[in-house]
Amino acid sequence: MSKLHDVRGRITYISSHAKQENLYAVCETTDRHYWKGLAECNQQEFQKSGTEGKCIEAREFIIALPESFPNLYEPNKLLQLFTDHFKEKYGVECVSALHHNKRKTNYHIHLIFSERELLPEPIEKTAIRNMFYDENGRHVRTKKEVLDENGNVRKGCKIVKKGEVYEHSLFTTKNKLFKQENFVDEVKHFYTDLINLLVKNDKEKLQVFDSGGLYLATKKIGKNNPKAEQIQTSNEMCMRWNCEVDKSNCYSNLTLRLSAVFLKQRYNR
């Protein structure tokens, strides 16, 4: 799962035929104005919090699909199914796109989702007294704190007069579920179950990797990754180990688990 700091830019990127060589379908559960409002809401809340780093405007999953699916299912209907599946379960808006990589060896879905929901009715807060905000958008107690040495309001500061609206909320707070450790595993399981319902060949059925089991996971090597050679070496070791697990009948489970722990530590798995 990826954190998105520019959700509108990311949506444009995944849904543009000009930017994607093999784009088959795009699915949106709401219009693009929603994402503009969401980005503004998240940026405002982030600024008020005073948190360091970058604002998270939305999150994204990349869902790998079996390579038989292009021949089995119409792209728009397939993408609609996966997108609706997520929205029905979590109640948030989504944008998704169905792609192939350049060599057409990786059929996958990009699914972007909001961590907030749209409120049934906007909430407006009205100032009961004059309110003062500094250059960072933070509420300060007195007018003196926003004035320069000449008694003028400093650039970037503002004063909200009594009776004026100082906050206009369109969205709920972020759903804490999406930050929980088990959330990603939950999504992996329900999409794995969905894929397994759709595959025609039992050999293509998937299992969610068990991080506490005997098998070692390999890592994807991204484009221009400076550690590509190191990751490739690690992946080869993991694949050899996994083959040994498959065919080994003479080791006890305890011995295998101890060896797996050693390898995970050795290659920082």
Side-chain angles (χ1 to χ4, degrees):
M1 181 171 65
S2 302
K3 301 171 183 177
L4 302 182
H5 308 298
D6 177 15
V7 64
R8 288 183 294 164
R10 183 62 177 170
I11 289 171
T12 298
Y13 179 75
I14 69 167
S15 62
S16 169
H17 283 281
K19 297 179 182 295
Q20 301 298 330
E21 191 170 6
N22 297 303
L23 171 62
Y24 300 114
V26 175
C27 179
E28 305 188 39
T29 62
T30 187
D31 59 52
R32 295 287 174 95
H33 293 295
Y34 172 91
W35 300 101
K36 181 177 184 294
L38 178 71
E40 291 173 352
C41 171
N42 282 322
Q43 290 292 344
Q44 289 167 6
E45 292 298 318
F46 180 77
Q47 193 175 44
K48 284 195 298 183
S49 71
T51 305
E52 295 182 354
K54 292 184 178 181
C55 172
I56 300 171
E57 296 183 355
R59 293 178 185 258
E60 177 184 4
F61 280 110
I62 300 177
I63 306 159
L65 301 174
E67 284 305 310
S68 63
F69 276 22
N71 299 320
L72 295 175
Y73 300 105
E74 195 274 322
N76 284 295
K77 292 181 179 179
L78 182 68
L79 185 61
Q80 186 81 50
L81 175 65
F82 275 74
T83 307
D84 289 347
H85 198 61
F86 192 93
K87 182 173 180 179
E88 287 170 8
K89 187 170 181 66
Y90 296 109
V92 291
E93 304 297 346
C94 310
V95 176
S96 58
L98 182 59
H99 294 171
H100 245 140
N101 63 337
K102 187 174 182 180
R103 293 185 295 168
K104 293 192 175 182
T105 57
N106 181 11
Y107 198 51
H108 60 278
I109 291 171
H110 291 263
L111 187 138
I112 293 171
F113 66 95
S114 169
E115 296 176 276
R116 302 177 187 269
E117 295 180 52
L118 197 63
L119 289 166
E121 295 291 336
I123 296 175
E124 290 187 345
K125 295 182 180 179
T126 304
I128 58 174
R129 61 178 67 85
N130 288 350
M131 300 179 70
F132 313 103
Y133 294 86
D134 65 14
E135 297 90 339
N136 297 315
R138 296 175 187 168
H139 179 229
V140 294
R141 293 181 60 193
T142 64
K143 184 177 181 179
K144 186 176 181 180
E145 294 175 81
V146 299
L147 301 180
D148 61 20
E149 57 187 12
N150 297 319
N152 300 315
V153 177
R154 297 195 306 274
K155 185 178 180 180
C157 298
K158 71 174 182 177
I159 299 174
V160 177
K161 296 181 180 179
K162 179 180 178 180
E164 292 182 346
V165 174
Y166 69 91
E167 188 173 310
H168 185 81
S169 300
L170 296 174
F171 297 89
T172 64
T173 57
K174 287 186 175 182
N175 189 334
K176 294 181 180 179
L177 169 67
F178 302 134
K179 293 183 179 180
Q180 293 178 5
E181 290 183 6
N182 63 345
F183 170 64
V184 174
D185 283 338
E186 180 179 292
V187 173
K188 284 180 180 179
H189 277 91
F190 84 75
Y191 271 134
T192 297
D193 291 343
L194 179 59
I195 290 170
N196 287 342
L197 286 172
L198 296 174
V199 295
K200 304 298 183 184
N201 187 340
D202 286 345
K203 291 182 179 179
E204 286 191 311
K205 288 196 173 181
L206 307 176
Q207 287 184 327
V208 177
F209 180 79
D210 179 8
S211 60
L214 299 179
Y215 291 92
L216 302 178
T218 56
K219 290 184 178 180
K220 180 180 178 180
I221 303 175
K223 186 178 181 181
N224 299 323
N225 190 324
K227 296 184 178 180
E229 187 175 343
Q230 178 183 339
I231 295 172
Q232 180 63 32
T233 300
S234 174
N235 285 345
E236 289 172 359
M237 292 293 294
C238 289
M239 287 188 287
R240 286 201 290 271
W241 168 258
N242 292 340
C243 287
E244 290 301 314
V245 173
D246 279 337
K247 64 186 181 182
S248 177
N249 294 315
C250 58
Y251 293 161
S252 68
N253 284 342
L254 177 60
T255 302
L256 285 170
R257 288 185 183 278
L258 289 173
S259 299
V261 169
F262 171 78
L263 282 173
K264 286 177 181 180
Q265 293 174 342
R266 174 67 176 81
Y267 291 100
N268 296 319
R269 307 310 300 175

